Amino acid sequence: MSRLSDREKKKKQLVNKLIDLREMLDELQEAITEFQEAEEKIQEKIIEYEKLSALGRLTANVAHEIRNPITVIGGLAERLKKRISPEAKEKEYLDALSSEAKRLEEILKEILFFSDKAFFKREMKDINKIIEDSLIIYEDTCNKAGIGISKNLGNVPQIYIDERQVRAAISNLISNAVDAMPEGGTLTVTAGVEYISGKNYVVVKVTDTGIGIAEENLKTIYEPFFSTKSTKKETGLGLPITRKIVEGHGGLMKIDSVVGKGSTFGLFFPYRGR
């Protein structure tokens, strides 16, 4: 009886060891899978970085080459406008020429900012004030488009940022949100604090109730010159520049969108909690 009992104990111990071994193998397999997924994401990032770097060098060279001719064309158009009668038909043509030259100069500025290494002049700033100032600029546009503005600005700490660049990033998102609601809707801007993966973030979220973004477009939304907008006046650099600004501050950007319901764009700026 004792021998049988010993055998049963050894058998039970062996079974327990096999169970432990199986759990260890499962954990190891899970770790391997996570590592492979992480490696794939890193590889995708490297490919994206190399592609954007090559594109950045190309666009910068092109931008520098055509910047001076465009400036000359715009300047000549302005000079000719002063020499002809305001009632002349040519005046209308020159106005259009001058306007398009200025638009091209703005596009070139965006291209050069995107392709060059960004320089940030950082100071402690209240991001709620930046949001308030940005929304004021779009009040008339929203009223005319039948878009209501809702804001929920929490008690967030001041953060070390470049005010001009962050203002541009927030304005880009607000402008995109307005364009996404051609039939009207609600623009919601919130500011708060989130704790993610051991880091504190001040988070600005811009939400629209517009057309949303198709899933296949979410993968290419950050590519330069890609745009889901129908107007040809857009360069497709708004979101890439916005992400560059946020990442330049050590932060990150997230998108959540549903076709027919709207989109939420989140800007995450890191800060040190007390």
Side-chain angles (χ1 to χ4, degrees), residues 28-248:
L28 180 60
Q29 184 60 50
E30 185 177 345
I32 291 172
T33 302
E34 290 178 357
F35 176 78
Q36 289 174 338
E37 291 175 352
E39 188 178 28
E40 289 176 1
K41 289 180 180 179
I42 291 172
Q43 188 63 32
E44 289 175 1
K45 286 287 185 182
I46 292 172
I47 293 172
E48 180 183 9
Y49 175 79
E50 291 176 346
K51 181 171 65 174
L52 292 179
S53 294
L55 180 60
R57 290 191 295 271
L58 173 63
T59 54
N61 290 335
V62 172
H64 281 297
E65 288 296 324
I66 65 177
R67 191 174 192 177
N68 286 339
I70 289 173
T71 302
V72 171
I73 291 170
L76 290 175
E78 289 295 326
R79 291 175 66 180
L80 287 172
K81 282 163 59 176
K82 296 176 181 179
R83 296 193 176 189
I84 63 175
S85 170
E87 291 77 22
K89 185 67 176 177
E90 289 78 4
K91 173 72 163 49
E92 182 180 338
Y93 299 150
L94 288 173
D95 284 339
L97 182 62
S98 179
S99 175
E100 288 302 298
K102 289 178 180 177
R103 187 172 74 87
L104 286 172
E105 287 178 0
E106 289 301 314
I107 292 174
L108 288 177
K109 286 180 183 178
E110 290 186 354
I111 291 173
L112 290 171
F113 175 84
F114 177 77
S115 58
D116 290 344
K117 185 176 180 179
F119 173 77
F120 297 102
K121 184 180 179 181
R122 303 189 192 190
E123 298 176 304
M124 293 301 293
K125 293 294 180 180
D126 179 1
I127 203 163
N128 280 345
K129 185 178 186 307
I130 296 175
I131 294 171
E132 294 274 14
D133 293 343
S134 299
L135 285 173
I136 288 173
I137 297 173
Y138 287 91
E139 279 185 355
D140 288 341
T141 302
C142 288
N143 287 335
K144 292 177 183 178
I147 297 172
I149 298 176
S150 175
K151 56 187 176 184
N152 182 13
L153 308 182
N155 183 20
V156 299
Q158 290 193 351
I159 50 178
Y160 197 53
I161 55 175
D162 184 315
E163 180 177 1
R164 184 174 65 87
Q165 302 290 4
V166 171
R167 187 189 302 274
I170 293 173
S171 292
N172 280 341
L173 295 188
I174 294 174
S175 176
N176 285 349
V178 171
D179 290 342
M181 297 182 285
E183 305 299 324
T186 302
L187 167 68
T188 304
V189 183
T190 65
V193 174
E194 292 188 24
Y195 185 76
I196 304 173
S197 301
K199 290 185 179 180
N200 293 300
Y201 292 92
V202 167
V203 185
V204 178
K205 292 184 179 181
V206 178
T207 302
D208 64 71
T209 56
I211 56 179
I213 303 170
E215 187 175 352
E216 61 269 20
N217 289 335
L218 288 174
K219 297 178 181 179
T220 53
I221 200 75
Y222 291 122
E223 288 187 3
F225 310 112
F226 173 84
S227 178
T228 58
K229 299 179 183 180
S230 58
T231 172
K232 298 301 181 183
K233 291 186 177 182
E234 299 300 329
T235 63
L237 283 172
L239 286 180
I241 287 176
T242 298
R243 186 171 73 164
K244 181 175 182 177
I245 291 171
V246 177
E247 291 182 348

